[in-house]
């Protein structure tokens, strides 16, 4: 899995892309949820750049995470991707977008729930995230 600079648009965009494909399917409703979130504008990447990140992620997953004929992400892999975002405000924005994407198709798949739970646990473990969230 490739690494991106901490708090970069690429690191944030890849996490959103992961939220979209972690359940094994990219639904049109998830793309609409992404558009409504305005997250891409916030992290300053256009849709073509995002599609490139999505393609890179899928290629990385196919080369590093295929087990018994399907893609399976290890918790350590998820954690390493989440660790590339350390800025509390960016984490909160990503979580909101990830929840909207997961809810977009009306089904919360196990893999989506796992990703969201790991992001919530990892990112809320630091006190700054919790304090700033309480005031938001």
């Amino acid at each position: 899995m490739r690494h991106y600079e901490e708090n970069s648009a690429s690191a944030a965009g890849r996490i959103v892309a992961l939220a979209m494909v972690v359940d094994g399917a990219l639904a049109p409703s998830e793309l609409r949820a992404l558009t409504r979130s305005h997250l891409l504008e916030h992290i300053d990447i256009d849709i073509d750049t995002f599609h490139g990140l999505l393609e890179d992620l899928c290629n990385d997953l196919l080369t590093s995470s295929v087990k018994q004929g399907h893609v399976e992400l290890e918790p350590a892999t998820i954690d390493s991707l989440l660790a590339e975002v350390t800025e509390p405000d960016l984490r909160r924005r990503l979580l909101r977008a990830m929840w909207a994407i997961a809810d977009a198709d009306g089904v919360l798949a196990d893999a989506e729930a796992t990703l969201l739970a790991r992001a919530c646990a990892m990112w809320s473990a630091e006190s700054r995230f919790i304090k700033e969230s309480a005031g938001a």
Side-chain angles (χ1 to χ4, degrees), residues 4-101:
Y4 294 117
E5 183 178 333
E6 194 172 281
N7 297 316
S8 67
S10 296
R14 176 173 53 189
I15 290 171
V16 173
L18 181 59
M20 297 177 95
V21 299
V22 72
D23 63 352
L26 177 59
S29 58
E30 293 173 335
L31 287 168
R32 289 190 296 274
L34 175 61
T35 300
R36 284 190 304 271
S37 77
H38 300 285
L39 182 69
L40 295 183
E41 292 90 348
H42 177 74
I43 61 175
D44 198 28
I45 61 174
D46 60 39
I47 195 69
D48 291 332
T49 302
F50 178 74
H51 283 234
L53 286 169
L54 182 61
E55 184 177 338
D56 289 345
L57 172 65
C58 290
N59 288 332
D60 287 350
L61 291 172
L62 289 173
T63 59
S64 67
S65 301
V66 175
K67 294 183 177 145
Q68 299 177 358
H70 68 281
V71 174
E72 184 179 312
L73 281 173
E74 296 292 327
T77 301
I78 294 171
D79 291 350
S80 72
L81 299 178
L82 294 170
E84 290 183 347
V85 176
T86 60
E87 203 281 315
D89 182 60
L90 181 55
R91 286 176 168 183
R92 282 190 298 280
R93 288 176 182 266
L94 282 169
L95 270 176
R96 280 193 290 268
M98 291 164 67
W99 277 106
I101 289 164

